[in-house]
């Protein structure tokens, strides 16, 4: 039994990203709707309780997510699982509500250039655009998560000051987002930078309302997660198979793999309620369906051993 250092959380809530962040940037043909639905079923069966299942964005901008309604309506719900989706504006929200989502998310950025490339407006305009989304979601009794992208660096602007991240996170929190997920969109962060960013944001937003959403482009995500758990972070976004990337962030390779996060947490004696072997099987299954191997180190090691 591992001895958990007292600076680390007892339990971590894992938010699974593979069906959305994992597949949104998949090149080539559309991933079949049936494959997306089976992926979501397998993740729920593995014990994952928060799944970002779809994205109600413009189909012109992100064609891979254009079957969001069919995916949401095609899944068989597991009681206790929250199925969420991205909604960049009111149109996305109305479509998501009609499709029966449990929860939605708005997504902003700490970088002006990335905001323009990703959602075609400035940071200030995005915050204005999110207000009616929050209001309408509250009327519908649907919780809203908020993302801030480029929290540890931007593909267009380079370094991003932690104070800028804190400012955008606070605006989303004050607007009513129940949780703010902090995205290292291009995976350039290192542990001290990640800690300093969390310190700055947690002066504006309570630490138990923050989540870490780290991509693994430079192989630093696991180290960065350990560092921010020491700061009090206990919600982690990850994608099975290490799938993922943002179409508007060159160099944004996969999210940190769920398998690797679970292996880390198990080794630390931190509870998640998720079955690592079932996630490993799912990672092999989905990456095979996509014609490649998982990028998860744990998945590769377990196949080799
Ligand atoms: P726009 O072109 O400025 O929108 O796009 P618009 O309001 O001018 O509308 C243009 C057309 O799009 C209209 O259709 C609208 O109806 C339609 P037309 O009249 O020309 O036929 N439209 C929509 N259709 C379906 N669903 C909608 C929708 N909205 C407008 N929701 C917009 C603005 C925000 C829509 C666009 O830029 C967009 O969809 N961007 C999404 C980009 C995206 O999904 N990026 C990846 C997700 S973010 C991410 O991965 C980062 C994250 O993981 C965290 C991290 O890693 O940092 C979250
Ligand atoms: Mg992401």
């Amino acid at each position: 039994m591992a001895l958990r250092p007292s600076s680390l959380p007892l339990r971590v809530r894992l938010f699974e990203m593979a069906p959305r962040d994992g597949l949104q940037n998949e090149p080539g043909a559309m991933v079949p709707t049936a494959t997306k639905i089976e992926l979501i079923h397998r993740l729920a069966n593995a014990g994952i309780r928060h799944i970002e299942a779809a994205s109600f964005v413009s189909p012109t901008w992100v064609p891979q997510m254009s079957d969001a309604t069919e995916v949401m309506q095609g899944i068989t719900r597991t009681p206790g699982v929250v199925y969420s989706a991205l909604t960049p504006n009111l149109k996305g929200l109305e479509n998501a509500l009609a499709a029966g989502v449990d929860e939605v998310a708005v997504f902003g950025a700490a970088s002006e250039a990335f905001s323009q490339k990703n959602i075609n407006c400035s940071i200030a305009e995005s915050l204005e655009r999110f207000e009616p989304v929050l209001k309408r979601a509250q009327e519908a009794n649907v919780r809203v998560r908020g993302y801030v992208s480029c929290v540890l660096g931007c593909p267009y602007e380079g370094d991003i000051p932690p104070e800028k991240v804190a400012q955008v996170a606070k605006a989303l929190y004050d607007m009513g987002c129940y949780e703010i997920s902090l995205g290292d969109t291009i995976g350039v962060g290192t542990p001290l930078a990640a800690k300093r960013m969390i310190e700055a944001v947690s002066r504006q937003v309570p630490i138990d309302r923050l989540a870490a959403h780290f991509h693994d482009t430079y192989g630093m995500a696991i180290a960065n997660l350990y560092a921010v758990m020491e700061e009090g972070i206990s919600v982690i976004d990850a994608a099975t198979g290490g799938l993922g990337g943002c179409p508007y962030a060159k160099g944004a390779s996969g999210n940190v793999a769920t398998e690797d996060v679970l292996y880390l947490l198990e080794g630390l004696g931190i509870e998640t309620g998720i079955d690592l072997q079932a996630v490993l099987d799912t990672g092999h299954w989905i990456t095979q369906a996509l014609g490649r191997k998982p990028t998860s180190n744990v998945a590769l090691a377990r196949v080799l051993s």
Side-chain angles (χ1 to χ4, degrees), residues 25-39:
N25 200 29
E26 193 56 30
M30 272 285 282
V31 177
T33 307
T35 304
K36 295 176 181 170
I37 291 171
E38 183 170 349
L39 172 62

Side-chain angles (χ1 to χ4, degrees), residues 18 23 26 35-36 57 66 77 80 86 88 97 106 114 142 156 163 171-172 176 183 202 233 237 239 244 295 301 305:
L23 296 182
E26 193 56 30
T35 304
K36 295 176 181 170
V57 293
S66 59
R77 307 295 178 99
L86 291 190
L97 293 176
V106 293
F114 184 76
V142 164
Y156 311 104
E163 294 68 31
L172 291 172
S202 62
I233 290 289
D237 297 358
T295 59
S305 62

Side-chain angles (χ1 to χ4, degrees), residues 118-137:
N118 195 40
I119 50 175
N120 207 20
C121 62
S122 69
I123 296 172
E125 284 163 346
S126 75
L127 295 173
E128 269 173 42
R129 193 184 280 177
F130 297 152
E131 279 199 23
V133 176
L134 267 288
K135 194 165 171 288
R136 175 74 185 96

Side-chain angles (χ1 to χ4, degrees), residues 17 20-21 24 52 55-62 86 88-89 91-93 95 107 114 118-120 129 147-150 182-185 213 215 245-248 255:
M17 292 288 136
R20 193 281 300 173
D21 207 350
Q24 69 183 9
E52 200 157 83
S55 185
F56 290 84
V57 293
S58 158
T60 314
W61 285 61
V62 186
L86 291 190
N89 52 19
K91 178 166 184 153
L93 177 67
N95 291 341
F107 47 106
F114 184 76
N118 195 40
I119 50 175
N120 207 20
R129 193 184 280 177
Y147 285 97
V148 184
S149 285
C150 299
L182 300 164
D184 182 9
T185 316
H213 177 110
H215 287 252
C246 176
Y248 299 101
N255 290 77

